[in-house]
Amino acid sequence: MTNSDEAVQAITDAAVDSFRDTADPRLRELLQGLVRHLHGYVKEVRPTLEEWEYAVEFLTAVGQKCDPTRQEFILLSDVLGVSMLVETLNEQGGGTESTVLGPFHVVESPERVSGDSIDLMGVGKPCVVSVRVTSADGTPLPGASVDVWQCTEEGFYDVQQPDVQPLGNGRGLFRTDGEGRLWFRTVVPSHYPIPTDGPVGELLGATSRHPYRPAHVHFIVEAEGHRPLTTHIFVADSPYLDSDAVFAVKDSLVVGFPEVDDAEAAREYGVTAPFRRADFDIVVEPETETEPANHNQNENEKDAR
Ligand code: BEZ
Ligand code: FE
């Protein structure tokens, strides 16, 4: 058979059609869309056999790099901008904007109460972060769970430095009070490089991309009857706000961490002056029965060809 357009198209059609009997219509859509777009990509860039073999080896290495504390596939999705795309397409609007989860979230953050410090090292300049959680109509949400994690002033998460930091440093699982509020003491996190000692780091190096993320604090907010929210606040004067390695910065999430040189305020929060402080109002969207917006299949077909 010659390498004619018809022969090439027949392969794509057969592969798409092979999923026609998938009982779950959503699974069918996901797989047929994947095949269409993957074939569209291959037709566009026409990899050589050696290049395709390299791609398979690369993905194998990504899988082999994964362990219980290292998720190289999430990292790959992050640096390709796919994590941010999925987050953003799943937003419904009306709430605080979302951003990537990243690979440093741990399943069980240590439970803490409002006013606690998540800085277990006790060195570094103090910072007070105050959070208020409301529903889209402005109603405060008491009892919402707020999972917080961040790196140190040196730019490392606890799990990256098990011999230096106690596990749980920079982390806390809080609940909002009767007014939907909580606050905690911490240090201002640094910008930091995403892990580069694996295949994703090789990819960045080979493409002259830097690995840095601007300084940020992560949040997962869950309130009854509301959509869970995964987001960050970004430190307003941080480097790399304009070139986050994982494309996760949204203007609405950039927050000032001004210095407060006020001894009385410092006493109130149990820190020393001067300290930095940040305030973050988080709005979560009420759950709806509506399914996430479904994409137009014809549009997808056009894109992939
Ligand atoms: C993070 O913010 O923890 C992160 C996000 C994406 C990739 C690497 C790290
Ligand atoms: Fe992070």
Side-chain angles (χ1 to χ4, degrees), residues 75 78 100 102-104 157 192 194 213 216 218 232 246:
L75 210 55
D78 293 339
V100 293
F104 295 122
Y157 287 89
Y192 65 83
I194 64 171
R213 299 216 58 210
H216 57 271
H218 295 260
H232 305 359
V246 301

Side-chain angles (χ1 to χ4, degrees), residues 12-21 32:
T12 301
D13 291 345
V16 170
D17 196 47
S18 71
F19 293 107
R20 69 179 174 278
D21 295 334
Q32 290 188 327

Side-chain angles (χ1 to χ4, degrees), residues 19 24-37 295:
F19 293 107
D24 179 338
R26 179 61 176 156
L27 181 61
R28 186 168 62 238
E29 181 185 18
L30 290 168
L31 289 170
Q32 290 188 327
L34 177 68
V35 169
R36 266 196 308 273
H37 284 265
H295 29 254

Side-chain angles (χ1 to χ4, degrees), residues 1-297:
M1 197 182 236
T2 59
N3 182 7
S4 65
D5 285 353
E6 294 82 52
V8 166
Q9 187 57 43
I11 298 169
T12 301
D13 291 345
V16 170
D17 196 47
S18 71
F19 293 107
R20 69 179 174 278
D21 295 334
T22 308
D24 179 338
R26 179 61 176 156
L27 181 61
R28 186 168 62 238
E29 181 185 18
L30 290 168
L31 289 170
Q32 290 188 327
L34 177 68
V35 169
R36 266 196 308 273
H37 284 265
L38 204 50
H39 284 225
Y41 168 75
V42 169
K43 287 173 197 166
E44 181 188 326
V45 304
R46 302 182 84 91
T48 63
L49 290 174
E50 290 74 22
E51 285 168 341
W52 192 245
E53 196 178 324
Y54 183 87
V56 171
E57 281 167 13
F58 176 81
L59 290 175
T60 304
V62 169
Q64 286 169 340
K65 190 72 188 169
C66 294
D67 66 28
T69 59
R70 177 69 180 261
Q71 232 306 351
E72 195 77 357
F73 267 114
I74 294 184
L75 210 55
L76 180 60
S77 160
D78 293 339
V79 302
L80 296 179
V82 178
S83 305
M84 257 328 263
L85 199 55
V86 174
E87 276 296 338
T88 303
L89 288 173
N90 276 286
E91 279 178 350
Q92 288 190 338
T96 295
E97 290 189 283
S98 63
T99 190
V100 293
L101 176 69
F104 295 122
H105 179 248
V106 299
V107 177
E108 294 203 354
S109 281
E111 286 188 21
R112 306 203 193 279
V113 296
S114 190
D116 276 357
S117 179
I118 63 169
D119 167 34
L120 308 182
M121 308 288 278
V123 290
K125 191 171 209 168
C127 173
V128 172
V129 176
S130 303
V131 172
R132 183 163 186 248
V133 181
T134 61
S135 185
D137 66 359
T139 313
L141 294 173
S145 87
V146 179
D147 194 353
V148 179
W149 69 108
Q150 66 164 83
C151 69
T152 58
E153 287 179 314
E154 279 75 43
F156 296 100
Y157 287 89
D158 57 351
V159 290
Q160 293 177 290
Q161 289 187 309
D163 300 334
V164 177
Q165 299 183 44
L167 217 57
N169 187 42
R171 300 181 191 272
L173 182 60
F174 294 89
R175 287 218 175 256
T176 54
D177 67 13
E179 294 180 332
R181 295 181 195 277
L182 65 91
W183 66 276
F184 57 91
R185 288 170 288 147
T186 183
V187 291
V188 180
S190 171
H191 59 282
Y192 65 83
I194 64 171
T196 55
D197 60 337
V200 171
E202 265 175 52
L203 183 153
L204 294 181
T207 54
S208 304
R209 281 181 54 181
H210 76 70
Y212 286 94
R213 299 216 58 210
H216 57 271
V217 181
H218 295 260
F219 294 88
I220 295 177
V221 182
E222 291 179 348
E224 215 181 312
H226 291 74
R227 289 164 60 89
L229 172 73
T230 300
T231 194
H232 305 359
I233 50 176
F234 292 94
V235 181
D237 57 3
S238 173
Y240 302 107
L241 280 173
D242 291 338
S243 63
D244 184 0
V246 301
F247 314 100
V249 179
K250 290 178 171 169
D251 287 349
S252 66
L253 303 177
V254 178
V255 171
F257 280 63
E259 189 167 277
V260 180
D261 197 1
D262 177 337
E264 197 171 322
R267 244 193 323 277
E268 200 180 309
Y269 288 117
V271 295
T272 51
F275 66 99
R276 306 259 308 258
R277 72 160 297 154
D279 293 275
F280 186 35
D281 287 335
I282 298 176
V283 180
V284 285
E285 303 161 21
E287 254 162 14
T288 59
E289 294 302 309
T290 325
E291 283 297 304
N294 224 341
H295 29 254
N296 178 325
Q297 193 162 331

